[in-house]
């Protein structure tokens, strides 16, 4: 089969190669899928660079989420059958950016019927992360104000939709006019172009000085630091990621003085600590899809040959929603 491989660490355009590799085989408790679509995520880029918390042995195939069709079952797999359309994360060294991938049967879910292959591929990480972040960690309540950084990006676009579905008032911060239009189309009540406006001032203005109850921050750096200036009394700042490349330092005396919480989120930990909670989240999220309240924003569907260039564009902050590769 054909698969992209990282053979040394670095920038995607320098270190990724599309190679002919042996077809993988499923072990006990695993399934083999033919990849129908795989979404590009920031962690794919960070893994290429060797800067992610997960560091697979070289060579490996990136692509942390996919929609695939089961073509073979390993020993002991009874939950799924050949031909099922499923979503989830593949088992390294296979990945979504290849024609075939291996997945753990315990860690795959039926693809929601209302989503096509590309949308289903972009449904797993984004919405699971948003669900655990907003509901389990930040305890977002209806009527609260949610501030989402990178609101037209991958996890950000999902957080905007989930915030609206939960009855929150959503403020989206984006870089540029194209992304501002996308955030409005996603349902954000207020959209701030960070290149044109100071989001702290706007958040204070539209909340009557109170600030945001929950901040969803996949960016870090200044986005985090400035969020502490417009977080509400008893607000929660969710630490989702550091797409800016800067890991900020928290000033704890400031958190004490203003009574806000800094809440860490590592969604994938729930896969081992509380696997049932992922199944419950999948059921709730699938119901939201069926009700028309959430839908992955897939801005581009590209051939497998475009993976290296697509990941480079993600690193440049050039992508709206998700890029999805369709082999
Ligand atoms: N905690 C978890 O469990 C979890 C799970 C999944 C993902 N994540 C993290 O969430 C973050 C976002 O992932 P994603 O795949 O959804 O990416 P993404 O949001 O689609 O892309 C990153 C966005 O960050 C913004 N940005 C601001 N400064 C940037 C810079 N210097 N370089 C690049 N982008 C910059 C850009 O949006 P604007 O221009 O609009 O600001 C860009 O579109 C990553 O750090 C990822 O590791 C965490």
């Amino acid at each position: 089969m054909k698969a992209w491989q990282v053979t040394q660490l670095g920038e995607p355009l320098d270190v990724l190669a599309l190679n002919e590799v042996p077809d993988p085989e499923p072990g006990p408790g695993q399934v083999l899928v033919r990849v129908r679509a795989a979404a590009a995520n920031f962690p794919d880029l960070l893994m290429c660079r060797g800067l992610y918390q997960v560091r697979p042995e070289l060579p490996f195939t990136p692509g942390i989420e996919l929609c695939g069709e089961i073509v073979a079952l390993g020993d002991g797999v009874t939950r799924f059958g050949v031909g099922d359309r499923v979503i989830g994360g593949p088992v390294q060294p296979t990945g979504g950016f290849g024609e075939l991938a291996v997945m753990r049967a315990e860690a795959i879910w039926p693809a929601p019927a209302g989503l096509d292959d590309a949308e289903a591929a972009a449904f797993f990480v984004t919405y699971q992360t948003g669900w655990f972040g907003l509901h389990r960690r930040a305890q977002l309540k209806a009527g609260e104000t949610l501030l989402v950084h990178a609101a037209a990006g991958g996890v950000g676009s999902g957080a905007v939709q989930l915030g609206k579905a939960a009855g929150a008032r959503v403020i989206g911060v984006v870089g540029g006019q194209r992304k501002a239009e996308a955030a409005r189309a996603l349902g954000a009540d207020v959209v701030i172009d960070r290149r044109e406006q100071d989001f702290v001032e706007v958040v204070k203005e539209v909340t009557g000085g109170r600030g945001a109850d929950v901040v969803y921050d996949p960016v870090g750096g200044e986005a985090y630091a400035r969020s502490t200036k417009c977080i509400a009394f008893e607000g929660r700042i969710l630490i989702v990621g550091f797409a800016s490349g800067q890991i900020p330092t928290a000033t704890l005396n400031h958190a004490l003085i203003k009574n806000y919480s800094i809440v860490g989120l590592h969604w994938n930990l729930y896969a081992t600590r509380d696997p049932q909670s992922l199944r419950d989240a999948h059921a709730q999220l699938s119901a939201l899809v069926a009700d028309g309240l959430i839908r992955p924003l897939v801005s581009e569907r590209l051939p497998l040959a475009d993976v290296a260039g697509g990941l480079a564009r993600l690193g440049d902050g050039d992508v709206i929603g998700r890029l999805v590769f369709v082999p």
Side-chain angles (χ1 to χ4, degrees):
M1 68 153 179
K2 282 195 171 56
W4 285 91
Q5 285 189 308
V6 179
T7 49
Q8 56 176 315
L9 300 177
E11 290 303 313
L13 287 170
D14 299 330
V15 302
L16 271 167
L18 185 56
N19 293 332
E20 193 63 40
V21 301
D23 287 1
E25 286 181 17
Q30 297 180 334
V31 302
L32 181 69
V33 298
R34 184 174 63 78
V35 178
R36 285 174 170 236
N41 282 264
F42 220 83
D44 295 315
L45 172 72
L46 296 176
M47 272 194 243
C48 285
R49 292 173 174 164
L51 297 178
Y52 195 56
Q53 58 254 35
V54 178
R55 292 181 193 179
E57 260 182 51
L58 298 173
F60 70 91
T61 296
I64 62 167
E65 67 174 337
L66 62 83
C67 171
E69 178 184 333
I70 296 180
V71 291
L73 304 176
D75 287 346
V77 176
T78 52
R79 279 181 66 224
F80 291 93
V82 169
D84 287 354
R85 196 175 75 117
V86 296
I87 62 170
V91 176
Q92 287 292 339
T94 68
F97 303 151
E99 290 171 327
L100 296 168
V102 170
M103 304 175 88
R104 277 196 317 120
E106 285 303 310
I108 55 179
W109 290 268
L115 301 181
D116 68 22
D117 291 341
E119 291 168 328
F123 181 62
F124 180 56
V125 173
T126 292
Y127 292 89
Q128 286 268 345
T129 301
W131 185 265
F132 278 85
L134 295 176
H135 295 297
R136 182 143 172 172
R137 300 292 288 134
Q139 304 279 315
L140 178 70
K141 293 187 260 317
E144 288 193 320
T145 298
L146 167 67
L147 173 66
V148 180
H149 288 292
V155 294
S157 60
V160 170
Q161 294 178 2
L162 288 171
K164 289 303 296 173
R169 180 191 195 199
V170 178
I171 304 174
V173 180
V174 298
Q177 276 310 308
R178 231 169 32 102
K179 290 179 177 176
E181 278 162 33
R184 269 184 219 105
L186 286 162
D189 299 286
V190 178
V191 176
I192 304 167
D193 181 351
R194 63 183 169 85
R195 296 182 187 162
E196 305 283 336
Q197 290 168 289
D198 175 5
F199 76 82
V200 173
E201 293 309 315
V202 179
V203 170
K204 283 183 179 166
E205 190 186 313
V206 301
T207 59
R210 180 181 150 70
D213 299 293
V214 174
V215 175
Y216 193 88
D217 180 18
V219 175
E222 277 294 292
Y224 168 82
R226 301 282 296 146
S227 293
T228 65
K229 308 295 179 198
C230 59
I231 184 75
F233 172 71
E234 295 192 329
R236 292 83 75 198
I237 304 180
L238 262 176
I239 309 301
V240 182
F242 312 107
S244 65
Q246 291 163 8
I247 300 176
T249 304
T251 45
L252 295 185
N253 57 335
H254 193 251
L256 179 154
I257 286 165
K258 283 187 69 175
N259 272 33
Y260 63 84
S261 306
I262 302 158
V263 182
L265 173 67
H266 184 178
W267 157 69
N268 205 25
L269 271 191
Y270 290 100
T272 46
R273 296 291 174 105
D274 186 2
Q276 182 58 41
S277 64
L278 264 71
R279 288 182 207 118
D280 294 344
H282 182 71
Q284 305 257 20
L285 290 165
S286 298
L288 291 177
V289 172
D291 291 344
L293 292 173
I294 60 174
R295 186 168 204 100
L297 173 57
V298 176
S299 59
E300 293 173 67
R301 293 151 201 255
L302 303 171
L304 188 62
D306 287 2
V307 163
L311 287 183
R313 283 178 50 207
L314 186 59
D316 292 339
D318 179 46
V319 173
I320 290 180
R322 290 271 175 232
L323 290 183
V324 177
F325 302 103
V326 183

